[in-house]
Amino acid sequence: MTVAPVPALDSLAGLAFGDAFGDRWFGILRREGAEALEARTLPDEPVWRWTDDTAQALVLVRELAEGEGAVDQDRFARRLAEEYAADTHRGYGASMHDVLRRIGAGEPWHALVSAQFEGMGSWGNGAAMRVAPLGAWHAADLDTAMEQAARQSAVSHHHPEAAAGAVAVAVAA
């Protein structure tokens, strides 16, 4: 197993803090409505909770460490499903609940994600939200960063625009 490079861990930390900070504000919107958000009313609770984006980024960094910087799509899909099963209340998108449960039950990930949304696949932003540490990991080799970003995207977000978003974030990181 490879040790994650410091830039990848720094990126992961930044992602986690930003995710938890942002979720505090989304929580206000959910609980108290747009008025509280527009008034910039600070959340009462002192707890910062991270979401599925950080949960999946942690899985991705572990995958990169075990794969020596490469994503094994089958193993990554299983790991995403395991992480989901361990804590289903991190803010996963509606379609991801179904997909990750079914992957966890042994259904092939490729068939599931490519069949989503009438065969177009998900073009949501989840693959882009988790990918920054991968970009930092491969900062010295942008071709590899792009290739691995697209590989990790395909496991949950089959649509080409989702992959393009993940590649853009990885290269920016």
Side-chain angles (χ1 to χ4, degrees), residues 18-39:
D19 183 28
F21 177 79
D23 191 60
R24 290 181 59 120
W25 295 104
F26 281 120
I28 289 171
L29 183 61
R30 284 189 303 266
R31 287 185 310 275
E32 300 175 33
E35 298 79 23
L37 186 62
E38 290 167 10

Side-chain angles (χ1 to χ4, degrees), residues 64-122:
L64 292 168
E66 188 165 319
E68 299 187 16
V71 174
D72 176 304
Q73 292 174 310
D74 294 331
R75 184 175 58 211
F76 185 51
R78 282 191 308 274
R79 287 180 167 166
L80 289 175
E82 289 166 1
E83 180 62 32
Y84 169 79
D87 188 351
T88 61
H89 301 293
R90 289 269 176 212
Y92 289 88
S95 67
M96 284 293 97
H97 285 285
D98 180 55
V99 166
L100 293 172
R101 272 191 214 111
R102 292 171 69 184
I103 291 170
E107 291 186 46
W109 65 267
H110 189 271
L112 289 170
V113 299
S114 63
Q116 288 183 293
F117 303 101
E118 298 175 4
M120 292 189 308
S122 175

Side-chain angles (χ1 to χ4, degrees), residues 52-53 56 96 122-131 152 156-157 162 166:
D52 61 317
D53 299 329
Q56 291 186 25
M96 284 293 97
S122 175
W123 52 9
N125 66 3
M129 296 297 288
R130 66 180 177 237
V131 78
Q152 69 84 35
S156 59
H157 294 74

